[in-house]
Amino acid sequence: MGNKLDILRDYQVAEAEAAELDNFCAKIKNSDLAADFLKVYDEKRRSVINECRNLQNILEAIEAAED
């Protein structure tokens, strides 16, 4: 039963965090700060996508070398 209670507690914590994030997003939705956040997020997202592509290319090269 302990696992069920742990999962329930984790769910409640996650639900509270999600509500807090929703509230924060609603507060900054139309602000300059939101635009700055979105710009940084987009730059980071592009960086991560490029890194994934690089890693995929490396993995493909390793697989080709193994054949």
Side-chain angles (χ1 to χ4, degrees):
M1 194 58 109
N3 287 339
K4 183 178 180 182
L5 293 176
D6 291 340
I7 292 169
L8 178 60
R9 186 186 69 241
D10 292 346
Y11 171 79
Q12 290 169 336
V13 168
E15 193 174 56
E17 288 175 356
E20 184 178 336
L21 287 170
D22 285 344
N23 186 34
F24 176 77
C25 290
K27 286 180 182 177
I28 67 163
K29 185 176 182 178
N30 295 318
S31 70
D32 290 338
L33 185 58
D36 291 342
F37 281 145
L38 290 173
K39 181 180 176 186
V40 171
Y41 170 80
D42 190 48
E43 290 170 0
K44 180 64 176 174
R45 182 177 171 273
R46 281 191 229 155
S47 174
V48 169
I49 288 171
N50 286 335
E51 183 65 20
C52 287
R53 287 179 183 149
N54 291 338
L55 291 171
Q56 183 179 15
N57 290 339
I58 292 169
L59 288 171
E60 289 171 359
I62 291 170
E63 289 177 6
E66 291 176 343
D67 289 343

